[in-house]
């Protein structure tokens, strides 16, 4: 999900990266995994964070209720852009609220992991996938992002912060083989450079995708990516 802003963060591929101090470095997908006499090429999957790994919905709903006295539930949200929700709140006040909410590191620190993520990421790593984050979170959230991933033990070894609409440039630079997103527009752009998968969420069901393909769950994601890995 998104708060509706066009984020003014670092240029694509040049923002803070979890696990990488400076520069893009050698594309992670170029690494190889040795298994005895055989050498298997490691494949790289770029993962969105919010709505894919990190479940912000309940915390955002709680903050809406506290600030405006309006009850809502993420399962009823039908717009990726939360500014388009019709909750009876004045647009200017709701817009400022969303700006403040999504800029607050505490929102991310307290968020739970999306259902099925932990086991799915472990299975992907075991099957030969390397995992990196590609997020539109602004750079000042890099520390909170690092801490959250470490606290939950998720095997995502670096995170690239980049503005909305530029994830495909980062994926191309990294040589990503696949990506998983919850933003339909971003997923379509990513489909130009790799196998792009859109993870089903209530707020993206009404958005058609042409080049990207949908995933019904993290179990579905593991099955599809392991198959892709097998026939690579």
């Amino acid at each position: 999900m998104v708060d509706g802003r066009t984020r003014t963060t670092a240029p694509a591929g040049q923002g803070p990266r979890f696990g990488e101090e400076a520069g893009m470095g050698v594309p992670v997908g170029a690494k190889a995994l040795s298994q005895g006499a055989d050498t298997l090429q490691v494949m790289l999957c770029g993962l969105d964070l919010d709505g894919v790994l990190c479940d912000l919905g309940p915390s955002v709903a709680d903050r809406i209720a506290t600030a405006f006295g309006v009850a809502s539930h993420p399962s009823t949200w039908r717009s990726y852009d939360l500014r388009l929700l019709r909750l009876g709140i004045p647009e200017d006040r709701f817009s400022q609220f969303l700006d403040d909410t999504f800029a607050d590191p505490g929102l991310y620190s307290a968020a739970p992991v999306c259902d099925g993520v932990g086991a799915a990421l472990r299975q992907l790593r075991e099957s030969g996938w390397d995992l990196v984050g590609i997020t539109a979170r602004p750079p000042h959230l890099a520390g909170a992002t690092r801490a959250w991933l470490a606290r939950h033990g998720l095997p995502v070894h670096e995170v690239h912060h980049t503005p909305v609409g530029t994830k495909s440039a980062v994926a191309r630079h990294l040589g990503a083989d696949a990506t998983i997103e919850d933003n339909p527009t971003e997923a379509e752009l990513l489909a130009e450079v790799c196998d792009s998968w859109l993870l089903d969420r209530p707020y993206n069901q009404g958005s058609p995708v042409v080049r990207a393909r949908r995933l019904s769950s993290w179990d579905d994601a593991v099955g599809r990516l392991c198959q892709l890995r097998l026939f690579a």
Side-chain angles (χ1 to χ4, degrees):
M1 71 188 67
V2 70
D3 57 353
R5 289 175 292 170
T6 299
R7 302 191 188 276
T8 54
T9 59
Q14 295 181 12
R17 275 88 71 184
F18 175 33
E20 184 177 4
E21 294 183 356
M24 296 297 289
V26 178
V28 182
K31 298 176 183 177
L33 177 66
S34 177
Q35 296 183 343
D38 298 326
T39 299
L40 298 177
Q41 189 73 21
V42 172
M43 297 183 73
L44 178 66
C45 184
L47 302 172
D48 182 27
L49 299 185
D50 300 326
V52 173
L53 303 184
C54 181
D55 187 2
L56 296 180
S59 294
V60 173
D62 287 345
R63 291 188 180 210
I64 292 173
T66 299
F68 302 105
V70 175
S72 66
H73 193 278
S75 65
T76 68
W77 298 347
R78 293 296 179 264
S79 172
Y80 178 82
D81 184 347
L82 296 188
R83 293 180 189 275
L84 302 179
L85 294 179
R86 295 295 174 254
L87 300 176
I89 302 169
E91 290 185 13
D92 57 344
R93 291 181 60 200
F94 193 47
S95 178
Q96 185 60 55
F97 163 82
L98 290 174
D99 285 348
D100 295 343
T101 295
F102 284 94
D104 179 11
L107 174 71
Y108 306 89
S109 299
V113 177
C114 293
D115 289 345
V117 165
L121 297 193
R122 287 192 294 271
Q123 290 179 63
L124 290 175
R125 288 291 295 129
E126 290 168 0
S127 67
W129 281 93
D130 211 348
L131 307 173
V132 300
I134 305 177
T135 180
R137 290 183 183 183
H140 77 272
L141 296 172
T145 299
R146 263 197 314 273
W148 185 85
L149 289 167
R151 182 164 61 254
H152 292 285
L154 301 183
V156 177
H157 76 269
E158 65 185 39
V159 175
H160 298 258
H161 293 249
T162 192
V164 170
T166 66
K167 291 183 179 182
S168 60
V170 176
R172 179 184 286 111
H173 191 100
L174 292 172
D177 298 287
T179 53
I180 300 178
E181 259 288 340
D182 70 329
N183 180 345
T185 301
E186 204 81 72
E188 286 289 273
L189 292 172
L190 285 161
E192 297 177 1
V193 301
C194 64
D195 280 293
S196 175
W197 301 91
L198 180 69
L199 189 60
D200 279 346
R201 296 299 187 216
Y203 49 80
N204 67 31
Q205 291 297 298
S207 302
V209 288
V210 177
R211 292 167 295 185
R213 288 171 285 179
R214 285 187 175 271
L215 296 168
S216 62
S217 65
W218 268 105
D219 283 342
D220 188 20
V222 170
R224 302 279 188 138
L225 292 180
C226 286
Q227 185 179 44
L228 183 63
R229 175 73 184 84
L230 182 63
F231 293 102

